[in-house]
Amino acid sequence: MSQSNAIRILIADDHPILGQALTMFLQCEPDMNVVGHAGDGREALEFFCQHQPDVALMDLRMPKMEGVDAIAAICAKFKRARIIVLTTFDGDEDIYRGLRAGAKGYLLKGAEPDELLDAIRTVHKGQRYIPPSIAAKLAERMASEELSDRELEVLRLIAKGKNNQQISNVLNIAESTVRFHANNIFGKLNVSDRTQALVTALNRGIVRL
């Protein structure tokens, strides 16, 4: 296949070595051509707007602009954008946010090389690529009760080590209200205390340290 007909691919990842290795690997495929490498989300957005690649491989955690925000911004401008999340994060909230932002595929960096190639070709055809293990976690997330915006604020402050009184001061709400939100968080995450809530939230990708 000539380079003009090859799938034009953008790689967005803040690890240069990984980006170079991916580029070398994909360039060996006759139907693929890596047209650029972005080191952060903002650069990925700018490159996509300028060059409009056929498929973008997007990491979730990047400086300046996170992958989810870059995906949402790209999809707002280009309704037919084909983006695959390629990341190490497999928490159900990470998966949910990535796909909700507009990604058409979700793949872990530990996937087999042939699976990555299959994902790129599948998404390029306009289809979704969601492996069974990712689909199962997504289904679990869809079935779980969602935290409210206020509960997320409280949870993020818990993750920063704030106690109820400190959270009360930061959010300008009563300490009893903080306890009410904390109990709701525990119930929705199916845990019994702050430590369990934090561990669960970190594992699922709901909050980060």
Side-chain angles (χ1 to χ4, degrees):
M1 179 179 290
S2 67
Q3 286 294 84
S4 61
N5 293 325
I7 302 170
R8 300 168 61 255
I9 301 167
L10 166 65
I11 297 170
D13 194 290
D14 61 333
H15 295 94
I17 293 177
L18 177 62
Q20 290 173 17
L22 264 177
T23 298
M24 291 175 63
F25 169 65
L26 296 175
Q27 287 294 127
C28 292
E29 296 300 308
D31 62 337
M32 296 184 188
N33 180 30
V34 176
V35 294
H37 176 236
D40 60 65
R42 191 175 300 160
E43 196 175 300
L45 173 59
E46 291 171 357
F47 189 97
F48 200 105
C49 290
Q50 290 173 6
H51 302 281
Q52 298 180 38
D54 298 317
V55 176
L57 302 177
M58 187 86 64
D59 194 7
L60 285 183
R61 312 280 170 91
M62 291 187 290
K64 296 185 181 178
M65 177 186 281
E66 295 225 336
V68 166
D69 296 327
I71 292 169
I74 289 169
C75 291
K77 290 176 177 287
F78 304 96
K79 301 302 182 184
R80 299 184 66 183
R82 296 179 173 99
I83 301 171
I84 299 171
V85 172
L86 183 62
T87 186
T88 57
F89 301 98
D90 65 347
D92 62 348
E93 191 68 21
D94 290 313
I95 296 165
Y96 174 72
R97 291 176 66 230
L99 295 174
R100 183 179 63 177
K104 298 296 188 291
Y106 199 106
L107 201 61
L108 299 180
K109 288 179 179 176
E112 292 295 325
D114 284 346
E115 188 173 11
L116 174 58
L117 298 177
D118 190 26
I120 292 171
R121 291 179 179 121
T122 299
V123 169
H124 180 246
K125 293 175 184 174
Q127 302 169 17
R128 290 187 176 273
Y129 191 94
I130 304 172
S133 60
I134 298 298
K137 290 198 173 187
L138 180 61
E140 189 177 310
R141 166 61 180 80
M142 298 300 288
S144 64
E145 197 172 357
E146 194 160 357
L147 296 179
S148 69
D149 290 342
R150 180 62 92 186
E151 288 162 358
L152 283 171
E153 286 181 312
V154 171
L155 185 57
R156 288 181 185 123
L157 290 170
I158 290 175
K160 291 180 179 179
K162 305 287 187 185
N163 60 33
N164 285 351
Q165 185 176 355
Q166 291 170 323
I167 294 173
S168 168
N169 293 335
V170 171
L171 298 180
N172 196 28
I173 57 178
E175 198 170 336
S176 60
T177 305
V178 175
R179 288 195 296 270
F180 171 78
H181 288 310
N183 286 330
N184 281 347
I185 292 167
F186 298 162
K188 289 180 179 180
L189 297 183
N190 196 27
V191 299
S192 57
D193 59 40
R194 280 170 167 252
T195 301
Q196 291 177 358
L198 183 54
V199 170
T200 298
L202 287 170
N203 287 338
R204 289 181 53 184
I206 298 173
V207 298
R208 303 169 197 167
L209 293 178

